[in-house]
Amino acid sequence: ILRLLHCRTRPSDIGGCDFAASPSLSSLLQDVFWSTSASSSVLAVTLPPAVQSLSSFTPLADLGDQRLSPEGLYALHSVSGVELLFRPGSTPQSPLAVLIPLGDDTLGHIEAATRCWQSLRGRPSVKDPRITKPQRRRLRLMLQATDGREHGASSRALDPALFGDPRVSADPWKTSPLRDAVIGLVESAAIMIGGGYRQLLRH
């Protein structure tokens, strides 16, 4: 959902900056790399200090797409879904430590580090808790509603497509709460596509 929202955002809406993903490609065919300042689930990793040397370690595997940047190497850990930033001097094959700044996003970083550590230990995968199941459902409806509106569909035509004919036909359309719901979905989607989706990157 975040990739879909991000790829719909116009460069002018994000200060004219380059896209973290190409808007010419399907969001399902590419990974989006977020900066450590944008997302609380991006973990900066580095070599552990000498006073905390590891007695043993396992090289990181299951890394997806990777991208070099001035900050270091960005990579996606495909099992946990956590994005890693390898600081200069560290590699997936070296002993690693996670850098967690003490600030507003501390708990978000700890949660992401826990998910990554659990997957490295072969423990059951824990879903990213930043977006709840009801939020995911509403975000999906928002995208469907705004897609329909951009293709010329009216609110009356969108109602059955989003909520089903039986539910829509239960009330007169002009006074139906579903009519207001569709309008709210389209308005909320515009805010998200305009950059508001970045709020979902944090708890």
Side-chain angles (χ1 to χ4, degrees):
I1 288 176
L2 284 169
R3 285 187 292 177
L4 286 167
L5 288 166
H6 178 79
C7 289
R8 291 177 65 101
T9 305
R10 298 180 298 274
S12 59
D13 292 328
I14 53 175
C17 300
D18 292 336
F19 279 87
S22 173
S24 63
L25 297 175
S26 167
S27 64
L28 301 178
L29 299 178
Q30 59 184 324
D31 288 315
V32 175
F33 288 90
W34 307 102
S35 69
T36 53
S37 61
S39 173
S40 62
S41 72
V42 180
L43 296 179
V45 293
T46 187
L47 296 174
V51 295
Q52 291 182 316
S53 59
L54 302 176
S55 57
S56 64
F57 72 95
T58 302
L60 272 177
D62 300 312
L63 294 180
D65 287 348
Q66 302 178 21
R67 186 175 300 173
L68 275 173
S69 75
E71 299 86 34
L73 174 69
Y74 283 93
L76 292 175
H77 186 241
S78 55
V79 178
S80 64
V82 174
E83 182 182 336
L84 303 171
L85 168 59
F86 294 90
R87 298 292 294 148
S90 63
T91 69
Q93 290 74 39
S94 64
L96 295 172
V98 176
L99 297 174
I100 298 181
L102 297 178
D104 294 339
D105 293 327
T106 296
L107 292 179
H109 290 308
I110 292 174
E111 182 275 323
T114 300
R115 283 194 290 125
C116 186
W117 181 84
Q118 287 175 328
S119 67
L120 293 176
R121 295 287 175 168
R123 299 189 177 186
S125 175
V126 178
K127 291 184 178 180
D128 189 336
R130 288 176 299 170
I131 304 179
T132 64
K133 190 173 181 179
Q135 284 177 314
R136 287 181 184 276
R137 181 179 181 277
R138 178 170 173 77
L139 288 168
R140 186 176 68 251
L141 290 174
M142 285 164 50
L143 286 170
Q144 291 173 328
T146 195
D147 281 343
R149 182 59 60 84
E150 289 180 359
H151 284 83
S154 64
S155 297
R156 190 166 190 170
L158 287 173
D159 276 359
L162 296 175
F163 303 110
D165 287 321
R167 188 176 175 190
V168 173
S169 60
D171 297 301
W173 179 76
K174 288 187 177 181
T175 58
S176 172
L178 297 181
R179 177 175 175 270
D180 294 332
V182 170
I183 295 173
L185 289 171
V186 173
E187 292 175 348
S188 297
I191 294 173
M192 284 289 179
I193 293 171
Y197 70 91
R198 284 172 287 185
Q199 298 175 7
L200 301 173
L201 293 168
R202 290 188 163 86
H203 282 280

